[in-house]
């Protein structure tokens, strides 16, 4: 009777396969890696420049072993398969350490696991590298240079708000400035900045963290997201008492953000007195060097495809922005609780370009395609 195979030997194919998948994902510039179990197969997909594509279909016999290996690396409970879990892990890949945020989800045929690749190079980006138009960049720099006020980044999930916040924090991160952040979770470590990870289970939410920050002699506060009236109220009041506050909201554009705050229950006079600038943003794919002219009639360029861009025609992403400083005229509209359309009209009068127009400027320069801009605006 042959001797049973040792667990260590049995794990070798899983370890090798997982190492290759993670290395390939990092090398290809992926932002997320999905391990998905199904009845008769399992697959691994990765998200590059916002688009999911299939990377591999491992043998079905490795489906559960891959999930277990990932949970061990992320220090999660391997026996718990009925509830979602969250964790982090760090691996040495390609001569450097890479951090991953790990999320598990019980499904019909096993646990789906999604890894968010936390790219520290993104956090180190300067504001000038994010794709702002010159006038937009100047308005943002003026807003974050002020000693107090509330600066809001808005947009859907995956629109690059966190990277924009990190770029602002990197610029403000000086030896004479005390910066504290509340994040859910802390995605990337920023040396010199006091970062707090939100833990709802233990009672540490955004509002609790903000209250604690105000007793820590802060200069700049960053709140990962304003989700409720309590957090909004504390953030607004902090910005009125000599602190610069940066945060995010999920709204479609900059004018709608003011209406959202009103609907949350923040008094109009507090909004008018605290909000100094709102940035709405989206991410669009950048055309590869293999782009081809779209023709004289439409202008711009179209994707073509080559080996450098994996034959997609796109390589990397850039932001398109609507940067709206809150002027005295807008403050009057806020106090009058004007409709979003009225605020948008005033913004256009003051020369604020909307997301569609900002995208079209990038189309004319050949940075992206018309299809990309129309799809996200």
């Amino acid at each position: 009777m042959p001797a049973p195979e040792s667990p260590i030997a049995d794990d070798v194919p899983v370890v090798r396969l997982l190492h290759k998948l993670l290395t390939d994902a990092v090398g290809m510039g992926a932002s997320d890696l999905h391990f998905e179990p199904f009845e008769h197969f399992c697959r691994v997909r990765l998200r590059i420049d916002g688009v999911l594509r299939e990377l591999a279909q491992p043998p079905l016999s490795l489906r559960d072993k891959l999930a277990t290996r990932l949970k061990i690396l992320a220090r999660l409970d391997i026996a718990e398969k009925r509830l979602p879990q969250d964790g982090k892990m760090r691996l040495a890949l390609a001569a450097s350490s890479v951090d991953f945020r790990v999320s598990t989800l019980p499904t019909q045929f096993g646990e789906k696991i999604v890894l968010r690749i936390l790219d520290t190079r993104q956090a180190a980006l300067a504001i000038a590298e994010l794709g702002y138009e010159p006038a937009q960049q100047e308005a943002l720099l003026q807003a974050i240079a002020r000693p107090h006020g509330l600066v809001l980044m808005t947009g859907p999930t995956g629109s690059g708000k966190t990277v924009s916040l990190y770029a602002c924090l990197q610029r403000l991160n000086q030896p004479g400035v005390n910066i504290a952040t509340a994040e859910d979770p802390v995605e990337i470590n920023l040396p010199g900045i006091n970062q707090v990870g939100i833990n709802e289970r233990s009672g540490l939410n955004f509002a609790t963290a903000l209250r604690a920050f105000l007793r820590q002699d802060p200069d700049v506060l960053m709140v990962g997201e304003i989700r409720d009236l309590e957090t909004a109220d504390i953030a607004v009041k902090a910005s009125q008492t000599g602190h610069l506050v940066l945060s995010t909201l999920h709204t479609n554009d900059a004018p709608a953000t003011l209406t959202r705050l009103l609907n949350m229950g923040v008094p109009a006079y507090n909004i008018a007195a605290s909000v100094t600038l709102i940035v709405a943003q989206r991410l669009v794919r950048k055309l590869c060097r293999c782009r081809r002219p779209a023709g004289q009639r439409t202008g711009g360029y179209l994707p073509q495809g080559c080996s450098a861009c994996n034959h997609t025609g796109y390589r990397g992403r850039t932001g398109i922005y609507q940067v709206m400083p809150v002027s005295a005229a807008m403050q009057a509209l806020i106090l009058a609780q004007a409709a979003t359309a009225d605020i948008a009209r005033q913004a256009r009068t003051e020369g604020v370009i909307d997301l569609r127009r900002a995208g079209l400027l990038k189309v004319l320069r050949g940075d992206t395609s018309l299809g990309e801009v129309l799809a996200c605006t």
Side-chain angles (χ1 to χ4, degrees):
M1 181 175 177
E5 190 175 8
S6 72
I8 296 176
D10 192 41
D11 285 346
V12 169
V14 177
V15 173
R16 288 177 178 168
L17 174 61
L18 186 58
H19 186 273
K20 183 180 187 309
L21 291 172
L22 296 179
T23 303
D24 289 348
V26 172
M28 295 169 72
S31 61
D32 300 88
L33 197 59
H34 295 240
F35 291 81
E36 300 173 305
F38 299 99
E39 185 176 9
H40 300 298
F41 71 99
C42 62
R43 70 180 176 188
V44 180
R45 293 192 293 174
L46 45 77
R47 190 179 296 278
I48 299 177
D49 297 336
V51 179
L52 273 174
R53 65 178 70 167
E54 189 170 298
L55 177 64
Q57 285 198 16
L60 194 60
S61 59
L62 299 183
R63 179 180 64 185
D64 295 334
K65 293 178 182 179
L66 281 169
T68 301
R69 177 67 181 168
L70 285 167
K71 289 169 75 174
I72 291 172
L73 291 172
R75 298 182 179 180
L76 300 177
D77 184 357
I78 61 172
E80 180 56 77
K81 299 182 179 182
R82 299 169 299 173
L83 294 173
Q85 297 186 70
D86 293 297
K88 289 183 72 172
M89 65 185 194
R90 173 176 291 181
L91 295 178
L93 298 173
S96 64
S97 293
V98 180
D99 290 325
F100 299 85
R101 194 176 77 208
V102 182
S103 171
T104 74
L105 179 70
T107 68
Q108 186 178 5
F109 299 106
E111 290 179 286
K112 177 184 177 182
I113 299 183
V114 176
L115 275 59
R116 166 64 57 89
I117 301 172
L118 305 177
D119 189 352
T120 54
R121 293 170 298 178
Q122 287 288 91
L125 287 177
I127 291 175
E129 300 173 53
L130 298 181
Y132 286 92
E133 300 296 324
Q136 294 177 332
Q137 181 177 314
E138 183 61 29
L140 177 59
L141 292 176
Q142 287 179 6
I144 65 173
R146 297 178 62 170
H148 57 82
L150 178 58
V151 176
L152 294 170
M153 304 285 176
T154 73
T157 301
S159 59
K161 300 187 296 297
T162 301
V163 172
S164 293
L165 286 177
Y166 280 169
C168 292
L169 292 175
Q170 290 281 22
R171 186 176 182 87
L172 295 167
N173 190 12
Q174 303 295 330
V177 181
N178 180 19
I179 303 176
T181 75
E183 306 173 55
D184 185 20
V186 176
E187 293 201 356
I188 296 174
N189 177 41
L190 300 175
I193 293 175
N194 306 288
Q195 296 173 272
V196 174
I198 296 305
N199 188 341
E200 297 279 358
R201 290 182 181 177
S202 64
L204 179 57
N205 55 26
F206 284 118
T208 306
L210 262 178
R211 285 197 195 91
F213 288 165
L214 294 175
R215 296 189 290 271
Q216 293 273 319
D217 185 31
D219 298 301
V220 179
L221 302 175
M222 191 274 270
V223 188
E225 183 184 347
I226 293 177
R227 296 175 178 171
D228 50 45
L229 175 58
E230 186 181 15
T231 307
D233 188 55
I234 300 171
V236 163
K237 289 176 180 175
S239 70
Q240 293 173 333
T241 54
H243 307 94
L244 176 64
V245 181
L246 310 176
S247 191
T248 71
L249 266 175
H250 289 281
T251 56
N252 289 329
D253 58 16
T257 304
L258 297 170
T259 307
R260 172 73 186 280
L261 289 171
L262 280 169
N263 292 339
M264 288 175 72
V266 182
Y269 58 85
N270 273 343
I271 298 173
S274 60
V275 180
T276 56
L277 182 105
I278 301 170
V279 178
Q281 64 182 85
R282 302 288 190 276
L283 289 178
V284 293
R285 291 184 294 172
K286 294 167 64 176
L287 285 168
C288 179
R289 291 175 300 175
C290 64
R291 65 187 185 182
R292 58 185 175 86
Q296 294 181 346
R297 189 171 185 179
T298 58
Y301 293 83
L302 293 173
Q304 182 161 289
C306 65
S307 57
C309 61
N310 200 24
H311 302 285
T312 63
Y314 297 96
R315 192 174 185 185
R317 288 194 290 179
T318 188
I320 57 174
Y321 303 90
Q322 180 185 28
V323 179
M324 188 180 83
V326 178
S327 63
M330 285 189 193
Q331 289 175 338
L333 289 173
I334 296 168
L335 291 171
Q337 299 191 22
T340 301
D342 296 326
I343 298 171
R345 195 175 300 113
Q346 178 62 33
R348 285 194 297 271
T349 302
E350 296 177 9
V352 175
I353 60 173
D354 59 20
L355 288 165
R356 175 68 60 86
R357 193 167 299 177
L360 292 177
L361 291 174
K362 282 185 163 50
V363 171
L364 293 175
R365 285 198 296 266
D367 295 338
T368 189
S369 66
L370 182 60
E372 278 290 295
V373 171
L374 295 179
C376 73
T377 60

